[in-house]
Amino acid sequence: MATRHPLTELAVGRVRLAPSVLAADFCCLGEEIRRVEAGGAEVLHLDIMDGHFVPNLSIGPPVVSSMRSRTTLPFDVHLMLTDPERYIDAFLEAGADHITLHVESHGDLGAMLDRVHAAGASAGLTLRPGTPVESLREYLERVDLILVMTVEPGFGGQSFMTNQLGKIRQIREWIDRSGRAVHLEVDGGINRETAPVARAAGCEMLVAGNSVFRAAEGVAAALANLRA
Ligand code: DX5
Ligand code: ZN
């Protein structure tokens, strides 16, 4: 396996762009990865769906493993799975650098976070828009990243939910108070209008699918606009 690049290698406090491959053209993933890499993306966000935790299917370990041979960008793997315990090892083996789990998934979250760390990857937690922010609190000391979903997970191309901003501000406060280096990431409906709003609330890692891969102005310009 290639050297792992956990997201802890990226200092916190700077804007990081993580294009979501879900919006890419799956017929030519190698070329799509090259486009965002050339445009200045620092992380690649991979959405994994099981058709059960969310009503959609996406990609599995073989696709992740093929992508691994094309880039050294860190793979930020977002597991939308009912039973992630069964698949964590396969994604780590396929080349995940980071794994984010949903608090609503089944299984022992603490044990899964430990397993990810033991493999040399970084670990994060996320929650559905309707899940109270308090559900994360007991794990704050054990994660390297918290992801706030600003759409209902399952599909790209939805609108940013501004009612999640309070959650972002609360988590930002917890992270700052802890003094730990934890990334605060946002996922769902991020574009040049909503990116500044999410940043002002405290997010510094921005996932963006449609607004990057399907940008009329081209990928590089879209990434520059998100960063501006
Ligand atoms: C949704 C995924 C997102 C999605 C974002 O379940 O977690 O990563 O790809 O897509 P956009 O940026 O188009 O809302
Ligand atoms: Zn995602």
Side-chain angles (χ1 to χ4, degrees), residues 25-187:
D25 180 349
F26 280 79
C27 271
C28 45
L29 275 178
E31 179 52 34
E32 293 286 73
I33 293 169
R34 251 190 314 280
R35 288 207 294 155
V36 290
E37 205 165 5
E42 287 157 289
V43 173
L44 220 48
H45 184 82
L46 307 183
D47 290 300
I48 312 300
M49 306 177 181
D50 65 356
H52 187 263
F53 185 80
V54 291
N56 196 8
L57 290 161
S58 59
I59 59 170
V63 180
V64 175
S65 169
S66 295
M67 291 169 66
R68 184 72 288 168
S69 64
R70 299 302 174 94
T71 181
T72 55
L73 280 181
F75 285 177
D76 162 24
V77 178
H78 175 193
L79 294 183
M80 286 162 272
L81 308 175
T82 298
D83 193 6
E85 215 144 34
R86 290 173 60 189
Y87 300 100
I88 284 178
D89 291 339
F91 284 104
L92 287 167
E93 226 154 274
D97 298 287
H98 171 90
I99 289 187
T100 293
L101 299 159
H102 268 268
V103 287
E104 305 89 354
S105 289
H106 297 167
D108 182 340
L109 282 179
M112 289 189 271
L113 295 172
D114 288 346
R115 196 145 128 209
V116 172
H117 281 139
S122 50
L125 279 178
T126 185
L127 68 185
R128 295 181 187 277
T131 301
V133 68
E134 285 72 28
S135 61
L136 293 174
R137 201 163 189 178
E138 62 177 298
Y139 301 102
L140 269 186
E141 298 290 317
R142 305 175 68 170
V143 295
D144 310 299
L145 177 150
I146 292 177
L147 168 63
V148 175
M149 292 302 302
T150 43
V151 296
E152 204 54 64
F155 298 91
Q158 305 179 75
S159 300
F160 183 82
M161 296 169 70
T162 49
N163 64 2
Q164 298 302 301
L165 289 169
K167 205 183 258 179
I168 295 173
R169 287 189 205 102
Q170 175 66 78
I171 297 168
R172 169 48 61 202
E173 198 185 308
W174 286 344
I175 292 173
D176 289 349
R177 224 186 300 150
S178 79
R180 294 184 62 243
V182 178
H183 292 289
L184 183 48
E185 185 181 45
V186 63
D187 183 7

